[in-house]
Structure formats: C-alpha cells, structure tokens
Amino acid sequence: SRRQRNPYHFSSNRFQTYYRNRNGQIRVLERFNQRTNRLENLQNYRIIEFQSKPNTLILPKHSDADFILVVLNGRATITIVNPDKRQVYNLEQGDALRLPAGTTSYILNPDDNQNLRVAKLAIPINNPGKLYDFYPSTTKDQQSYFSGFSKNTLEATFNTRYEEIERVLLGDDELQENEKQRRGQEQSHQDEGVIVRVSKKQI
Amino acid sequence: PYESGPFNLRSNKPIYSNKFGNFYEITPDRNPQAQDLDISLTFIEINEGALLLPHYNSKAIFVVVVDEGEGNYELVGIRDQQRQQDE
C-alpha cells in the first residue's frame, strides 16, 4: 500500500517486542534512520512503549539513555532511586516525567483494573540509537549485572562468602529451587521475569 | 568572564577518602574551563591491596589513564540481544 511505502509513516507493526510475559510487554520502534536517511537527524532518538497489567511491577533497572516518559493510559507509580535518596511519583494519564540517564527506577501499576500504557522517548548516551537495560536482580529472563564481576571482587565488595552472595543476589537456580521448597512457595518473582505481579499489601 | 590559567586536581578536598585511597574530582559546575568542555577531571589514588567498589557513572564516559602502578579492572556490559540483532 501507499502507506507502507511512506518512509515517514511508522505503523504499529514497526515496533519490535523487546520483552513480553503474561504481566505486560515492552516494545521498541525501529530506528528512524533505518528506513530513510531523510530522518538521519533523528538517529539518536528511540521510541519505547510498554504496557503492564493491573497490580504489576517492572523491576528496578537503569539504562544508558535519557528518557522522557508519558503516561498514555492508566496510572503509574514511578520510583527513582538516587545514591542518596528515593523519589516517588504518582502519575496519571497525560503526565510526563524525565528520567535522567543512569538513574535506577521501577514502575508500578497500582490500579486494580486498568492496564498501564506508557510511551518513552529514549536518548542514548553511549552509542547513537542503542541502549541497554541493566537489572540488579536476577530472573529467568536476565541476570543481575553483579554476575558480571569476578567471585573475588564480589566477596571483597560485600564482605561475604560467595555462596551467600550467589544465593541472595545472583539467584543460582538450584539453590533457589531448594529455597523455594523450604519456604513452600509456589512461584517466586524469579520465575516471572522482569514484569511481576505484586500483592495489594506490597502496593 | 572566562577564567583561564592552571588549576590543580588535588587542590580541593577529595570527594571520597579513607585509609585505602583518595578520590579527587573537578566537576564542570566547579570550574569554568571544565564546564566549557563539559568534562570532569578525576584523580584516584588506590593503595596496594585496596578495591574501588563496583559502581557506575550515570552519564559520563570515562577515559582512564594509569599514571603509576598497576591494577585489575572489571567492566560489566550487556550481551547483544534480539534488539540489536535485527538492526
């Protein structure tokens, strides 16, 4: 169709699912300069959209990109964690928030019924048009960035035996399994991935 | 007014300092010349056997030059995933 050939028209199938589980999904629009060099001046901007179900949380992370996010639908509780303080914002439809590069944050959908839909403009700081998410936690879908460090470094850093660090932070599968059985839990957050269900009490 | 002339990285108190080392830094907001270039200058002393704890810089890209001594450096990145494969 004519629309398909229009390089300025990005239909919703131009999004690529970056992450999806039963609690929500994160999608990234293709690079603006991929289809036409007439949009080359937009090469360092990316559009990200995410949706999350009621009473779910997107786990803490930071990215090597500046963000401006806009709540398209629903309600969001966004917590920004800095080295010395923590700020919590309750956002509604139409609210916008700048998330500086490298700040750790997590996003909760506190609503009982309504899905949350957010659009983000990303401005990467290291590589033009490319950004990465860094999660301190381990789930079935990604490893904690702490797992990148050597055993010696982790032991010296946390002043703790590696087995303990592994159990608490790095989520070694076998150990976690034993832990779960010990506590009689049916499912841990680790099994869910990076968008997890949270209880009313936790909200 | 544009300020020029030399300045010393260790003229101010270190930002972090303990018996294992010192971390001096001149940031753009404290020096017009650094502000002009939008750079920070850092001078780090680490005693033998000490570890500068794991950390990251929010937005700064660091170029590290070893002036004296030797050390081990560990850097953690994210493996290129699906997102990059399709590009």
Side-chain angles (χ1 to χ4, degrees), chain B residues 8 13-15 26-29 33-34 36 49 55 60 73-74 76 85:
Chain B
N8 191 285
K13 276 203 309 189
I15 294 173
I26 295 203
T27 50
D29 58 306
Q33 295 180 72
D36 212 21
H55 63 278
Y73 215 112
E74 291 183 7
V76 178
Q85 279 169 18

Side-chain angles (χ1 to χ4, degrees), chain A residues 16 18 31 46 62 66 101-102 104 125-126 130-134 145 148-150 153 156-157, chain B residues 51 53-61 74-84 86-87:
Chain A
Q16 189 200 338
Y18 171 57
R31 302 173 78 144
R46 300 298 296 270
H62 75 266
D66 280 300
T104 299
I125 58 170
N126 285 316
K130 267 192 187 184
L131 63 151
Y132 293 96
D133 292 335
F134 293 78
Y145 52 70
F149 294 107
S150 67
T153 296
T157 296
Chain B
L51 171 73
L53 293 178
H55 63 278
Y56 66 87
N57 295 101
S58 307
K59 203 173 173 175
I61 298 170
E74 291 183 7
L75 290 166
V76 178
I78 305 292
R79 212 170 267 131
D80 256 352
Q81 287 165 340
Q82 203 181 5
R83 192 197 315 193
Q84 270 71 33
D86 302 58
E87 286 173 359

Side-chain angles (χ1 to χ4, degrees), chain B residues 22-34:
Chain B
N22 294 300
F23 189 108
Y24 297 91
E25 187 169 48
I26 295 203
T27 50
D29 58 306
R30 298 182 76 162
N31 182 292
Q33 295 180 72

